[in-house]
Amino acid sequence: MSVVFESMNKRGHEEVVFCHDQDTGLKAIIAIHNTTIGPALGGCRMWNYETEAEALTDVLRLARGMSYKAAIAGLNLGGGKAVIIGNAKTDKTETLFRSFGRFVEGLSGRYITAEDVGTSVKDMEWVRMETKYVTGISRALGGSGDPSPVTALGAFSGLKATVKHQLGKDSLVGLKVGVQGVGHVGYYLCKYLAENGAKLFITDIDTEALKRVVDDFGADVIGLDDIYSADLDIYAPCALGATLNDDTIPQLKCSIVAGAANNQLKDDTKHAQMLKDRGILYAPDYAINSGGLINVANEIEGYNRERAFRQAEGIYDMLMKIYSQADIDGVTTHEAASKVAEQRMREVGKLKNVYLPKKNVMGRRDNA
Ligand code: NAD
């Protein structure tokens, strides 16, 4: 047990729930990192972890990441995440997810779940049979549906802010942008870039996905490894994590990295510093791709896609704030983003110093 508390203590987690149901075979861990600003929201990942320790480490790391993403996006949410230990291809059943839903319901709204790697909208619809604390439901059921157009607009807004700060330009006309991965988010990002006069260079392992972008917007296709050394103004990672590492950073000719992929830096501190040392402005991944979270957060208040799009455009101002903080402190943009997020958690937390009586059943405040 001391291992669990030690791990929680190191990164400031509030609560970890181990969920077990013999009948359905459910083995899940829900981690709540920080609820200073609001209920913890984060997806439920299903993965065949080799050990329970590996699952615990993953859920703690991911939950903390969500606190920072929500804080920086200006949402009234905290950070949490869940993992279900199992094979997403063979172990899924209705009862497994409904059982998970009952554990989520048991937390009475301290944690709100959603889909993630290994889980789908359909799985969340099973979860929803047991709890109202779930997002990422299909639009047909009143949910927010596919978040990628909102994520892409947010990433595009963040990319424009990065261009403004680094190059002093308001326009993207003629800028060469390399998009790595033209799947859900990458496709829409290419659309916005093409509409705004950028020149597209794209790469993907999926030739169909490449063809769609070439046909719809016009783009030059480049080799999978050539994206790093290509003559580009901007590199936009929209596929895998850890693409910014010891091998790739020295190859970059661009002066901007701005894309939607998660966990772009192989080693957060080291590789953020390497980019800074090379004069490359890096848009912190969890800030520039927070449109996806903004989209599901909207579902909590009653989904409105127009409002989600407008909020995602706010990523422009968010990144400008991070860049000026980084300049003032002389630190990497990664470090500045953490500082901005932590400051918001602290300041919003202090609002709770003002006492508000609890609402009674009549919706009035008790004079307790
Ligand atoms: P996706 O699976 O639809 O697209 C990823 C694309 O990358 C695919 O076309 C795939 O073929 C391609 N790809 C895989 N390996 C590659 C490689 N080695 N080189 C080049 N291309 C490769 O996923 P998505 O939903 O578009 O998400 C893309 C990234 O953005 C992921 O890192 C995801 O975590 C992150 N993200 C997505 C959202 C969202 O709303 N979908 C929100 C936040 C963050």
Side-chain angles (χ1 to χ4, degrees), residues 69 146-149 151 180-186 203-206 209 224 237-241 260-262 289-293:
K69 192 180 278 214
D146 177 13
S148 53
T151 305
Q180 180 183 43
V182 287
H184 285 92
V185 180
T203 190
D204 200 297
I205 49 170
D206 179 343
L224 288 175
C238 294
L240 315 163
N262 273 314
N289 73 17
S290 59
L293 179 61

Side-chain angles (χ1 to χ4, degrees), residues 90-138:
T90 53
D91 296 347
K92 284 187 181 181
T93 58
E94 173 184 346
T95 50
L96 179 98
F97 282 100
R98 290 184 69 163
S99 173
F100 172 70
R102 292 178 77 81
F103 283 100
V104 172
E105 181 67 17
L107 288 166
S108 309
R110 269 178 57 69
Y111 167 68
I112 302 167
T113 197
E115 61 180 290
D116 196 73
V117 175
T119 59
S120 67
V121 170
K122 181 169 163 262
D123 303 330
M124 290 308 124
E125 284 164 8
W126 281 327
V127 173
R128 186 169 172 262
M129 291 175 185
E130 303 296 335
T131 181
K132 52 192 167 298
Y133 303 114
V134 53
T135 55
I137 299 297
S138 68

